[in-house]
Amino acid sequence: DIYAQLIYIAHEADVPTFLDSSGQALRHVVAANPFLIKQNETEISILANRKPTTIAEFADVAVTIATRYETIVMVSLGKKGALAVKGETAVYLQPPPVSAKSAVGSGDCMVAGLVYGFSQGLDWVAAAKYGVAGGTANTLILGAGRFSRHDFAAILPRVVSKKIRGNYS
């Protein structure tokens, strides 16, 4: 439960926490209400105890988790893009097509983009675009968890967001 303890300490210091975990560790720590959790398709299915197959089903699962645990939920859907969910609102983010070399470390780069976006004062959808751009840029370079500023800057304006549920404008 060390992650949960760290999240509680961060809450006391008014510091947002970003969680990318899985399995039993995730089940225990999500109750500590991290600011944001980043999950892939498999991890969100395990947390939800069901296997969504469509974007709409993933959105339903993520909304349930976001509202239950009062957290922002980011679901990485691989080359299909991502979902960003806050409360009852779900936004689908689609990256531009790229010639991917390797996806290893893309989840970590997504989290890095999210953290950077929020640290710049962006709203949650704009920060989610940074996350998608970071994860996508990572696929262009061999090696885990790396991307160039040039690739990130070229991809970011081409990430398309579309509200699929709720009232984000």
Side-chain angles (χ1 to χ4, degrees):
D1 66 346
I2 187 68
Y3 291 143
Q5 291 177 38
L6 292 170
I7 289 171
Y8 290 129
I9 291 168
H11 284 315
E12 290 175 9
D14 199 29
V15 173
T17 52
F18 297 76
L19 178 68
D20 184 2
S21 184
S22 61
Q24 290 304 319
L26 173 64
R27 289 183 185 277
H28 291 293
V29 75
V30 73
N33 304 105
F35 174 73
L36 180 145
I37 63 170
K38 197 287 292 175
Q39 301 290 274
N40 64 30
E41 294 172 77
T42 302
E43 294 161 346
I44 199 90
S45 297
I46 291 168
L47 185 59
N49 291 318
R50 67 181 252 219
K51 185 156 178 52
T53 57
T54 66
I55 300 291
E57 289 173 354
F58 277 106
D60 289 343
V61 165
V63 164
T64 299
I65 292 167
T67 56
R68 179 182 304 149
Y69 297 107
E70 299 176 3
T71 186
I72 297 170
V73 177
M74 188 80 175
V75 182
S76 170
L77 302 169
K79 67 174 94 173
K80 294 177 289 194
L83 285 168
V85 176
K86 183 176 181 182
E88 296 282 332
T89 303
V91 176
Y92 173 67
L93 300 122
Q94 185 175 19
V98 296
S99 296
K101 294 180 181 172
S102 172
V104 176
S106 289
D108 295 330
C109 288
M110 177 179 275
V111 173
L114 286 160
V115 171
Y116 182 75
F118 280 109
S119 74
Q120 299 303 300
L122 299 178
D123 70 41
W124 64 281
V125 174
K129 286 182 178 184
Y130 272 57
V132 170
T136 303
N138 176 76
T139 69
L140 301 177
I141 297 175
L142 288 177
R146 301 175 34 194
F147 60 86
S148 74
R149 285 184 180 177
H150 177 267
D151 289 340
F152 175 84
I155 291 168
L156 180 61
R158 297 171 48 218
V159 175
V160 176
S161 63
K162 177 183 175 188
K163 180 187 70 157
I164 58 171
R165 180 175 170 166
N167 57 14
Y168 176 82
S169 52

